[in-house]
Amino acid sequence: MRFEQINLVALLFLACTGIATHALAADCQSQSPNLRDSNSVWAPVSSQPLPRHLQDRVFGFFARLEGQWQGSGKSTACVMTGGNDSVPVRAPEELKLRVHRNGNAYQFDFSIYDKRNSVSTSYHFIVTRNDRHLQVTGEGDLALMQFYDGGIRFRTQTALRTGFRREFGKGSGNTVLSLETVRQFVLKNDGLQFYKAVFHNGAMIDYSHWQFSRD
């Protein structure tokens, strides 16, 4: 079974038992879970419709996250050192999160303060729903990977064809770049954990683990 497909029996089992999800791998160049499962970097997110009752359950989970959160965490950016080698550059962060609904969309707004470099940035994503799919704005269809009462893990994947000039100007061609983003929320008591991993052509290039409490 491909990773992007939903096994309804497994979903019901997870929902009834509340089994905790495993944290995402945090090592530079670690392989994406989609690649491990499909053996293909280019395996697309399924275009199969997501049943309405599952859309309702996902939005019901997001409703539990609504409001203001504050927290801290670390992010890892993988810096290439030559060849396929990379080293992690980690930064401690102070964080704020606002989750709010606007019609058929949930928006997640993160304010990030990098304490080491004294730099403030922001990050956000929006999940919208229609009759057939959940989508992350700018990234395409959302594919459920794990979903139970206390947590959700989902991914998006974009494959881009980019033009390039061949060596010595001998014609042109194109190549395909795969950018996959996996996000995970784990809600327990009054605490919330958020994981994000970004994979370029199947290898991890960016990772964040942020922990929040109600503001």
Side-chain angles (χ1 to χ4, degrees):
M1 182 185 73
R2 285 187 175 181
F3 219 72
E4 66 269 14
Q5 294 175 325
I6 295 298
N7 184 317
L8 294 180
V9 174
L11 278 173
L12 290 172
F13 177 75
L14 286 169
C16 293
T17 59
I19 293 176
T21 56
H22 295 291
L24 293 167
D27 298 324
C28 287
Q29 301 298 306
S30 61
Q31 197 174 66
S32 83
N34 176 50
L35 180 59
R36 290 195 302 268
D37 187 77
S38 68
N39 296 318
S40 172
V41 168
W42 317 120
V45 166
S46 173
S47 61
Q48 294 296 317
L50 189 64
R52 190 75 180 185
H53 73 279
L54 284 178
Q55 292 190 32
D56 291 341
R57 285 188 57 208
V58 171
F59 264 46
F61 178 80
F62 288 163
R64 296 166 60 191
L65 308 183
E66 285 189 63
Q68 305 278 354
W69 301 80
Q70 62 179 353
S72 61
K74 289 186 178 181
S75 292
T76 298
C78 300
V79 178
M80 300 301 294
T81 59
N84 292 321
D85 297 328
S86 61
V87 296
V89 178
R90 296 182 175 88
E93 295 151 325
E94 293 178 351
L95 304 148
K96 289 187 178 296
L97 166 63
R98 178 177 178 240
V99 181
H100 57 105
R101 183 170 183 170
N102 183 11
N104 287 326
Y106 263 102
Q107 183 161 330
F108 300 81
D109 296 317
F110 297 84
S111 298
I112 307 160
Y113 177 66
D114 181 340
K115 292 189 290 185
R116 184 180 62 189
N117 298 308
S118 299
V119 174
S120 295
T121 57
S122 62
Y123 162 70
H124 77 272
F125 65 93
I126 301 172
V127 179
T128 61
R129 66 183 297 178
N130 55 42
D131 290 337
R132 296 173 59 85
H133 301 283
L134 294 179
Q135 295 182 320
V136 177
T137 302
E139 298 180 22
D141 289 351
L142 176 155
L144 288 173
M145 300 170 68
Q146 284 184 312
F147 185 34
Y148 65 108
D149 185 61
I152 185 171
R153 183 188 294 184
F154 56 91
R155 75 180 187 92
T156 60
Q157 184 167 341
T158 304
L160 301 175
R161 291 190 176 275
T162 60
F164 68 94
R165 183 173 298 278
R166 290 176 181 163
E167 192 173 8
F168 307 120
K170 297 178 181 178
S172 62
N174 63 72
T175 185
V176 179
L177 303 177
S178 168
L179 192 66
E180 178 183 6
T181 303
V182 178
R183 299 178 177 93
Q184 178 176 335
F185 286 101
V186 178
L187 182 62
K188 186 175 182 180
N189 299 324
D190 293 327
L192 175 66
Q193 296 191 62
F194 176 71
Y195 302 84
K196 178 174 69 76
V198 179
F199 301 90
H200 176 261
N201 286 0
M204 197 196 78
I205 59 171
D206 185 85
Y207 177 85
S208 297
H209 176 203
W210 299 335
Q211 303 176 69
F212 296 92
S213 58
R214 289 285 183 187
D215 193 350

